[in-house]
């Protein structure tokens, strides 16, 4: 084992100067999401020459743009044959590009209602969501759903691109009407008003460069907005406590890779995983959940070297002072008052975004995957469902495809969950169909019910 203790200065410097920003697109079908993404890539000069030649050839073969011709920029992200044939996006397409100011990872997601699951997937790790609206149609039910999902996932920034402004003759009146609808929806959702930008993905207005065709709009272009917003990691660096889901226990007992000193690893015991939140230093006290035992970090290993400190989202191995029974799925948390620790509970109260055609009913048996641990669960109650027309909670006895609602799930074993409001990774989980392994829903632990869950004392088999 290497004894060279590596300063984390280089890591800190890299993180401080990181410009990585993740964003996802969302919107109804035919709102122009893929064209907008293609326009961003094209106008920011992030498309290779051979890719552009292929898009030009295909566009010409299909007569895109009529006699005037032009590039069907949606082809840059719609890679599947079925997507190109139908002119729709079916699966999430991730693209990477950079400007002089920032590096981006973008997720182009489908607009069809049946693919809302893909939108949730793309938005779940995003720093921002760009919601597209057709200027001719205004705010639709799917728009309200995407706004509600973005709020539920606590996406840091919501940007609304009012697209196809060229098809309404760059009308300020049309834009102001859509803007008023969006501000009303934001008030109903109790979220900050989003940045609202008039754009034409087809013509390139206000996408990368500001357009002279919208003199009544004085704000930044879409790309300028994306370059200026702080990433979620920057916002949370100083506020999140340490969280570390244990992925596996490393106990080689002398059986190590060729070239390593077997004697040096004979008594080695480490806990591997990814720092989900906060940071940890050698000498810090941690609490193991759900057992509640406390110990101290004696070493941090990373790629054959020792660190003095690790940050989210680094993947490292932690060595601890005491031989405590710790298994895959347990959670190491910063030691402190009980109220600040993740709460082990068998009664899970959470918001679900139901993503399966199979409806959810009270009494359903499910699998709950939290971090690297999976336990059985029983749906005891569907508490309410979000009415998208009013954004008010309504009584419900079940959830259908794309419904958003709050449920009470009884677990077969306690899970150390956090409040999603404070911890996005350890406050989230997946609901899995035990019969076929398919994902049924994305779940977010609700803060209002953690205290109630702590009072539950029923014990029965599931």
């Amino acid at each position: 084992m290497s004894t060279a203790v590596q300063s984390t200065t280089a890591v800190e410097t890299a993180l401080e100067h990181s410009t990585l920003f993740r964003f996802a697109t969302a919107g109804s079908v035919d709102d122009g999401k893929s064209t907008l993404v293609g326009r961003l890539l094209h106008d920011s000069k992030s498309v290779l020459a051979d890719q552009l030649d292929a898009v030009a050839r295909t566009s010409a073969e299909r007569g895109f743009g009529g006699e005037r011709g032009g590039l069907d920029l949606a082809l840059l992200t719609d890679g599947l044959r079925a997507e190109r044939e139908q002119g729709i996006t079916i699966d999430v397409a991730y693209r990477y590009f950079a400007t002089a100011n920032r590096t981006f990872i973008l997720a182009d997601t489908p607009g069809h209602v049946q693919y809302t699951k893909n939108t949730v997937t793309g938005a779940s790790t995003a720093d921002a969501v760009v919601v597209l609206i057709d200027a001719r149609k205004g705010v639709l039910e799917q728009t309200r759903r995407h706004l509600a999902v973005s709020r539920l996932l606590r996406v840091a920034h919501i940007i609304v691109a009012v697209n196809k402004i060229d098809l309404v003759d760059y009308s300020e009146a049309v834009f102001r009407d859509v803007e008023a609808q969006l501000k009303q929806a934001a008030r109903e959702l109790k979220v900050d008003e989003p940045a609202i930008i008039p754009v034409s993905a087809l013509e390139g207005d206000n996408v990368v460069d500001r357009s002279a065709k919208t003199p009544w709009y004085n704000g930044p272009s879409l790309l300028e907005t994306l370059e200026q917003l702080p990433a979620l990691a920057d916002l949370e660096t100083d506020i999140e406590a340490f969280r570390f889901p244990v992925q596996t226990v490393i106990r080689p007992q002398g059986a190590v890779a060729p070239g390593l000193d077997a004697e040096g690893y004979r008594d080695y015991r480490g806990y591997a995983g990814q720092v989900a939140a906060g940071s940890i230093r050698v000498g810090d006290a941690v609490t193991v959940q759900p057992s509640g035992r406390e110990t101290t970090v004696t070493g941090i290993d990373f790629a054959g070297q020792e660190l003095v400190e690790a940050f989210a989202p680094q993947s490292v191995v932690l060595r601890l002072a005491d031989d405590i029974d710790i298994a895959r799925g347990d959670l190491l948390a910063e030691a402190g008052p009980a109220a600040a620790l993740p709460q082990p509970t068998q009664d899970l109260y959470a918001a679900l975004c139901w993503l399966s055609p199979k409806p959810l009913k009270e009494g359903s048996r499910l699998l709950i995957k939290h971090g690297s641990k999976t336990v059985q669960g029983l749906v005891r109650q569907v508490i309410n469902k979000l009415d998208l027309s009013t954004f008010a909670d309504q009584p419900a006895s079940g959830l259908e495809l794309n419904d958003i609602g709050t449920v009470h799930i009884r677990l077969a074993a306690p899970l150390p969950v956090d409040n999603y409001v404070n911890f996005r990774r350890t406050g989230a989980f997946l609901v899995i169909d035990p019969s076929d392994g398919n994902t049924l829903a994305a779940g977010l632990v609700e803060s209002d019910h953690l205290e109630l869950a702590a009072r539950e004392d029923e014990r029965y088999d599931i």
Side-chain angles (χ1 to χ4, degrees), residues 413-426:
L415 287 177
V417 298
D418 269 309
N419 182 348
Y420 183 80
V421 171
N422 300 324
F423 295 90
R424 291 181 82 187
R425 292 193 59 189
T426 51

Side-chain angles (χ1 to χ4, degrees), residues 335-390:
L341 296 172
Q343 301 299 313
T345 180
Q346 279 188 262
D347 290 281
L348 199 58
Y349 290 84
L352 294 186
C353 186
W354 194 254
L355 305 171
S356 170
K358 291 183 180 178
L360 173 71
K361 299 177 181 177
E362 293 178 353
S364 298
R365 293 178 182 274
L366 311 163
L367 292 176
I368 306 299
K369 181 173 175 55
H370 176 255
S372 52
K373 194 167 189 175
T374 302
V375 301
Q376 296 180 59
L378 173 70
V379 179
R380 295 199 61 188
Q381 184 185 6
V382 177
I383 300 171
N384 57 47
K385 182 174 74 173
L386 184 68
D387 184 339
L388 290 174
S389 61
T390 62

Side-chain angles (χ1 to χ4, degrees), residues 163-428:
N163 193 24
K164 304 188 182 182
I165 199 71
D166 56 310
L167 297 185
V168 294
D169 296 327
Y170 300 93
S171 167
E172 179 181 7
V174 172
F175 174 75
R176 298 301 177 199
D177 180 51
V178 176
E179 184 182 51
Q181 295 174 40
L182 286 164
K183 289 182 177 180
Q184 176 62 29
R187 284 193 293 273
E188 293 171 1
L189 262 177
K190 298 181 176 60
V191 297
D192 295 335
E193 290 180 5
I196 306 171
I197 305 170
V199 304
S200 169
L202 188 64
E203 302 293 338
D205 298 298
N206 293 325
V207 178
V208 171
D209 301 311
R210 301 186 191 190
S211 174
K213 299 174 184 174
T214 54
W216 37 266
Y217 173 73
N218 298 318
S221 70
L222 176 61
L223 183 61
E224 289 173 336
T225 303
L226 293 169
E227 287 182 327
Q228 294 167 4
L229 293 173
L232 184 63
D234 297 329
L235 297 173
E236 294 181 338
T237 297
D238 297 329
I239 61 174
E240 285 199 326
F242 173 69
R243 296 290 189 267
F244 185 83
V246 175
Q247 191 169 23
T248 188
V249 180
I250 298 179
R251 184 78 170 94
Q253 296 179 299
V256 296
L260 294 179
D261 178 15
E263 285 301 319
Y265 284 91
R266 185 165 300 282
D267 296 320
Y268 184 92
R269 184 193 299 272
Y271 304 93
Q274 185 180 40
V275 181
S279 62
I280 190 73
R281 295 182 66 88
V282 174
D284 285 351
V286 294
T287 299
V288 183
Q289 295 285 39
S291 71
R293 296 284 302 275
E294 205 169 294
T295 184
T296 304
V297 175
T298 58
I300 303 172
D301 298 329
F302 172 74
Q305 300 173 338
E306 294 184 29
L307 305 178
V308 295
E309 188 172 11
F311 304 85
Q314 283 183 293
S315 294
V316 295
V317 178
L318 301 183
R319 285 177 279 121
L320 305 176
D322 304 293
D323 290 334
I324 299 175
D325 181 13
I326 301 174
R328 172 183 167 85
D330 288 349
L331 184 70
L332 305 185
E334 178 179 315
L341 296 172
Q343 301 299 313
T345 180
Q346 279 188 262
D347 290 281
L348 199 58
Y349 290 84
L352 294 186
C353 186
W354 194 254
L355 305 171
S356 170
K358 291 183 180 178
L360 173 71
K361 299 177 181 177
E362 293 178 353
S364 298
R365 293 178 182 274
L366 311 163
L367 292 176
I368 306 299
K369 181 173 175 55
H370 176 255
S372 52
K373 194 167 189 175
T374 302
V375 301
Q376 296 180 59
L378 173 70
V379 179
R380 295 199 61 188
Q381 184 185 6
V382 177
I383 300 171
N384 57 47
K385 182 174 74 173
L386 184 68
D387 184 339
L388 290 174
S389 61
T390 62
F391 289 133
D393 291 329
Q394 301 291 333
S397 58
L399 297 178
E400 305 283 343
L401 175 65
N402 295 325
D403 279 347
I404 298 171
T406 302
V407 301
H408 170 199
I409 302 173
R410 178 71 176 179
L411 303 175
L415 287 177
V417 298
D418 269 309
N419 182 348
Y420 183 80
V421 171
N422 300 324
F423 295 90
R424 291 181 82 187
R425 292 193 59 189
T426 51

Side-chain angles (χ1 to χ4, degrees), residues 11-29:
V11 176
E12 292 173 348
T13 302
L15 290 174
E16 287 174 359
H17 293 84
S18 173
T19 63
L20 181 63
F21 193 82
R22 300 170 184 267
F23 70 98
T25 60
S28 302
V29 65

